[in-house]
Amino acid sequence: MTQSVKPVCALTEAIKPLLPPLLVQVADHRVLEGFRKYGQTLSDNHKPLRKKVVHHIQELIDALNYNEWELLDLRRHENHFELVFQALVRRRTYIRHLSDLLALVPDLTFEELTYKEGHSEADQLRADLAAAQARVAELEAENAALRTQVGPEIHEKAALWDGLMGLARLRVMGWAGMNADGTPEEKTYYGKPFTGYAHLGLELWTRYPDIQAYPAELASHERAKDLLAGIVRISLSHPAPAAAPEGA
């Protein structure tokens, strides 16, 4: 069985010792999000320096905007002078970093700095596949954990239900108390509110010619499955009253 593998980014691992515990968790979560979206971690992305600087500048401009956004609130409160000062220091730091980055690659163009990086169709398919595989691995790990918590009796009941719904053919002989899709009727045949009563008559086959080749019978088969699931749901949500003991 495939096990869920947590992606590890060498770059994030290098900065985690510098972060408080909460931000370590956030950093790990961001790595997982990035892996699901792009199919790789940042440390596995081997772009040239020029493109790395473009990414950095774009993120710093976003950081500057967020900082100004926070300043709108901080400046409204007289007792936030220290916080306003810190935000202004951050602003100067971001601007200095932007200047340093531009000096690192001085011939960057407007087109490069405003380019929204996309994926080729093949790259996008690979990223989607990697994300899907990661999600499947997670679900399989969750299912494995659930199976260890469920007893054999529950497994048998689930297998019996799967076997019933997987029969070669089900044919409806008649039903009452339900709509054709298995949902309860709002009112009974006599116009009274639904009380939980439903009836279903079925014929069942364990072997049958390929039912997919017979559209009318296939539609009847699918309706029978809907009605069967519906009557079970009704039974669960409207359990029959307990029978009175003899002599009561």
Side-chain angles (χ1 to χ4, degrees):
M1 178 179 294
T2 305
Q3 298 296 320
S4 178
V5 178
K6 178 182 175 182
V8 175
C9 176
L11 303 174
T12 301
E13 293 302 308
I15 65 170
K16 279 164 64 172
L18 310 174
L19 301 175
L22 174 61
L23 295 187
V24 169
Q25 295 178 35
V26 174
D28 283 335
H29 181 72
R30 297 282 290 171
V31 170
L32 181 59
E33 281 187 326
F35 184 80
R36 285 176 176 169
K37 184 175 182 181
Y38 299 110
Q40 64 179 1
T41 64
L42 188 61
S43 57
D44 293 326
N45 188 331
H46 304 298
K47 286 184 171 66
L49 176 63
R50 189 180 195 88
K51 290 191 175 181
K52 292 176 181 177
V53 170
V54 167
H55 280 294
H56 200 168
I57 288 175
Q58 290 174 343
E59 296 293 340
L60 277 175
I61 290 175
D62 285 344
L64 262 175
N65 281 323
Y66 289 133
N67 195 61
E68 294 302 305
W69 194 28
E70 293 156 4
L71 271 168
L72 292 176
D73 288 337
L74 295 176
R75 283 172 168 152
R76 294 192 185 107
H77 302 281
E78 294 181 358
N79 57 344
H80 283 178
F81 288 125
E82 180 62 28
L83 297 177
V84 169
F85 176 75
Q86 292 173 4
L88 293 174
V89 170
R90 282 195 299 274
R91 176 204 276 177
R92 288 195 295 272
T93 301
Y94 294 154
I95 292 172
R96 185 175 69 253
H97 289 336
L98 284 167
S99 298
D100 292 342
L101 288 167
L102 285 174
L104 186 61
V105 188
D107 61 337
L108 281 173
T109 65
F110 173 82
E111 287 72 21
E112 288 178 286
L113 289 169
T114 55
Y115 176 67
K116 184 66 175 177
E117 182 173 287
H119 295 283
S120 69
E121 184 176 356
D123 287 341
Q124 188 61 58
L125 288 172
R126 280 192 290 270
D128 290 344
L129 176 61
Q133 289 173 332
R135 183 57 181 153
V136 167
E138 288 179 359
L139 291 174
E140 288 183 342
E142 291 171 7
N143 288 337
L146 288 174
R147 280 194 288 273
T148 62
Q149 302 170 19
V150 177
E153 181 182 358
I154 302 299
H155 282 299
E156 183 182 11
K157 288 180 179 179
L160 288 172
W161 174 255
D162 288 343
L164 177 60
M165 295 297 279
L167 285 170
R169 186 185 177 195
L170 290 79
R171 182 162 74 103
V172 178
M173 306 298 293
W175 76 90
M178 295 181 288
N179 301 307
D181 62 355
T183 55
E185 290 182 339
E186 292 185 8
K187 294 185 178 180
T188 68
Y189 175 80
Y190 301 100
K192 296 182 179 180
F194 181 74
T195 61
Y197 169 81
H199 165 77
L200 177 63
L202 289 175
E203 283 188 332
L204 311 175
W205 283 263
T206 60
R207 296 286 187 276
Y208 199 80
D210 183 11
I211 199 169
Q212 301 289 336
Y214 304 93
E217 293 183 11
L218 177 60
S220 172
H221 174 76
E222 294 300 327
R223 182 174 62 224
K225 290 169 64 176
D226 289 340
L227 287 164
L228 179 56
I231 199 169
V232 171
R233 292 190 183 100
I234 290 172
S235 176
L236 292 173
S237 59
H238 297 80
E246 292 185 13

